[in-house]
Amino acid sequence: MAGTTSLPAGARAGGSKPNLYEVIRDQLIGEIESGRYPSGALLPSVRELTAKMAISTTTARKALAEVVTAGYARPEGTRGHVSAGPRTQHTAEDARQPTEDATEDRPAGLIIRPSVTVASDEFAGSETDRTTIDVRFEPAPAEVAIALDLNDATSPVVVRRRLTTDEHGTPVELRASYMDHDFAQGTALAEPEPIIGSWVDALATAGGKSLGAAQRHVSARHPTDTESAMLGLRPTACVLVRTETTQDQDGHPIDYTVTVWPAESTRLNLGSE
């Protein structure tokens, strides 16, 4: 990859969906280019990336290996990976490219995205060929343990993360669905393959019975580290967040989904009375 210009976070040639390791790779390269990791600085370790970005060790190792291949870092044995500093040729080429606002200090790795409109009362977007899916077992965060009414907050839950891009490969939505281990294990919900049809129908099929009420809330906040990296946002940016707790017909919570959109480019359609 030496002598080439890296694509912005989330983008791939031909507009195909990005892999998670590519998104993490581009985030690290952007942070090196912006000076957060100057030449000689120690990059996050595999363990740190795994914990901070909620990714597997395989994904973390692949992302770091790609950063090395791109010429932005070098491995130093047990010490880890060390930044090689910004690439001069990248900086020169970026300076020749027109920007939307030449006076704005826009860190590398961030992207300009088109405006989209999504519905606030249902899951926006489906799992298509532009959706990257990652499924794993993780300890339940506090808010998830409460939402799912878990008896043992230390028990692992099934987490299904979906990063959806537009036709140009720009990330526009990040969804994370947390489900009780016993409920999701052995069903399509725990497999990293796109689900055909609606998420609600998939939950009903997995549970084998009709669903009950769903509680939805919409709020705004700054993105987490994972959301910032996945969506290509500044840590100080604003995101729109919809949380939805779905219950079965007996009133037991079976799914807690957090959907995140970049606030500056997303318009929520609240419907009409």
Side-chain angles (χ1 to χ4, degrees), residues 35-77:
R36 180 174 181 180
Y37 296 110
S39 180
L42 192 63
L43 297 181
S45 66
V46 169
R47 178 177 297 181
E48 289 171 336
L49 286 175
T50 300
K52 178 180 177 182
M53 311 302 291
I55 57 177
S56 67
T57 55
T58 299
T59 299
R61 290 192 184 97
K62 179 66 173 175
L64 287 168
E66 291 263 320
V67 174
V68 172
T69 302
Y72 284 94
R74 61 182 182 276
E76 290 197 353

Side-chain angles (χ1 to χ4, degrees), residues 40 65 81 103 121 139 151 154 165 183 186 235 250 257 269:
H81 292 78
T103 63
D121 59 346
N151 293 325
T154 63
T165 63
F183 170 76
D250 299 321
T257 292
N269 182 359

Side-chain angles (χ1 to χ4, degrees), residues 175-186:
R175 279 186 290 162
S177 294
Y178 300 85
M179 297 160 284
D180 183 272
H181 176 276
D182 294 335
F183 170 76
Q185 187 178 32

Side-chain angles (χ1 to χ4, degrees), residues 69-153:
T69 302
Y72 284 94
R74 61 182 182 276
E76 290 197 353
T78 58
R79 186 172 178 231
H81 292 78
V82 174
S83 169
R87 294 268 294 278
T88 303
Q89 57 268 41
H90 288 184
T91 303
E93 184 167 347
D94 290 343
R96 293 193 296 270
Q97 299 298 322
T99 61
E100 183 180 44
D101 184 353
T103 63
E104 181 180 3
D105 182 16
R106 188 184 301 278
L110 301 183
I111 54 181
I112 301 173
R113 67 196 76 231
S115 297
V116 296
T117 299
V118 298
S120 65
D121 59 346
E122 61 185 27
F123 287 100
S126 58
E127 295 183 2
T128 68
D129 57 356
R130 294 202 300 267
T131 301
T132 301
I133 302 170
D134 181 72
V135 180
R136 66 186 65 247
F137 296 103
E138 297 177 357
E143 66 173 310
V144 174
I146 294 173
L148 294 181
D149 194 22
L150 300 179
N151 293 325
D152 184 359

